[in-house]
Amino acid sequence: MSTLRMIVGLGNPGPRYNRNRHNIGFQCIERFAHRHNLTVGRSQHNSLTGDGWISKNGARAKVLLVKPLTFMNRSGQAVAPLVNYYDVEPQNLIVIHDDLDLESGKLRLRAGGSSGGQNGIKSIIAGLGFEDFHRLRVGIGRPDGYMDAAAYVLQDFSTDEEEVFTPLRDRICDALEAWMFDGIDVAMNRYNG
């Protein structure tokens, strides 16, 4: 019997936020679901979820894809009940989120640690009561000049940014597959370059 892997993409619900920098987690969940012919449309514990089997090189793994519908800063209210309901082990949970402190277009996998100031991660840590779940941080960079960071993350990706982020979303899917089938250490070595 296979152990369930839970992939959470952070973002804000509603069409006005779809293409925002802050919604890169949702965008990656959608890309991953499309790649593996999964549907993320079941309403469950304040989230949209979808599940199925992923195959790679003869191996199979069960995955649950999650888009919390609680808005970013309350993500823990959606993630914690799902982790408890499915009895997901910390090492089988990965959360995809934007990161202002990482250069735009870069990705970094982490095995755990503090929130790094990311409010969605803060909420998940508070909801779960632990911080040793995995993260996939997606760099969106900081705004130029005096623009407020909150306003910046809620802007859509520019056309120039999309030239970087369109292939990056596919690379993130590759990294998620490596995490699922090869483990966090292999995935970090391969994709944190």
Side-chain angles (χ1 to χ4, degrees):
M1 181 166 158
S2 182
T3 304
L4 180 71
R5 272 50 162 228
M6 183 169 155
I7 303 174
V8 178
L10 297 188
N12 288 316
R16 70 176 279 212
Y17 301 107
N18 282 350
R19 304 311 305 160
N20 286 181
R21 294 180 183 101
H22 218 25
N23 273 41
I24 189 67
F26 277 17
Q27 295 161 22
C28 292
I29 289 290
E30 290 159 10
R31 182 68 55 94
F32 192 86
H34 182 262
R35 179 185 279 200
H36 293 287
N37 297 313
L38 301 175
T39 301
V40 181
R42 182 174 62 241
S43 183
Q44 185 179 24
H45 294 286
N46 294 315
S47 298
L48 286 179
T49 66
D51 63 341
W53 289 90
I54 307 294
S55 299
K56 182 180 172 187
N57 300 329
R60 293 182 73 208
K62 183 83 184 263
V63 66
L64 177 70
L65 303 178
V66 178
K67 291 167 57 177
L69 298 178
T70 53
F71 286 92
M72 178 75 74
N73 296 352
R74 296 189 183 119
S75 297
Q77 295 173 10
V79 174
L82 283 168
V83 166
N84 292 331
Y85 180 79
Y86 286 101
D87 198 22
V88 177
E89 295 291 327
Q91 70 273 12
N92 291 324
L93 169 63
I94 193 165
V95 180
I96 310 161
H97 66 89
D98 63 303
D99 193 319
L100 285 161
D101 294 320
L102 190 58
E103 183 183 337
S104 184
K106 299 291 182 187
L107 71 87
R108 289 288 180 278
L109 288 135
R110 288 181 61 192
S114 72
S115 69
Q118 214 283 352
N119 288 328
I121 296 295
K122 274 186 202 170
S123 176
I124 292 170
I125 290 170
L128 292 174
F130 58 82
E131 58 185 32
D132 55 341
F133 56 91
H134 300 162
R135 331 281 164 80
L136 198 159
R137 299 164 46 217
V138 184
I140 59 168
R142 287 213 169 256
D144 293 332
Y146 299 102
M147 182 179 211
D148 178 59
Y152 174 76
V153 300
L154 294 176
Q155 283 185 340
D156 289 355
F157 285 108
S158 70
T159 304
D160 288 344
E161 284 175 312
E162 277 299 344
E163 289 182 14
V164 173
F165 279 85
T166 297
L168 181 66
R169 290 182 191 98
D170 286 320
R171 184 167 168 78
I172 288 165
C173 290
D174 296 340
L176 290 169
E177 291 169 8
W179 169 77
M180 288 180 67
F181 291 101
D182 304 315
I184 189 68
D185 292 331
V186 170
M188 287 192 298
N189 287 336
R190 192 175 297 160
Y191 292 96
N192 284 1

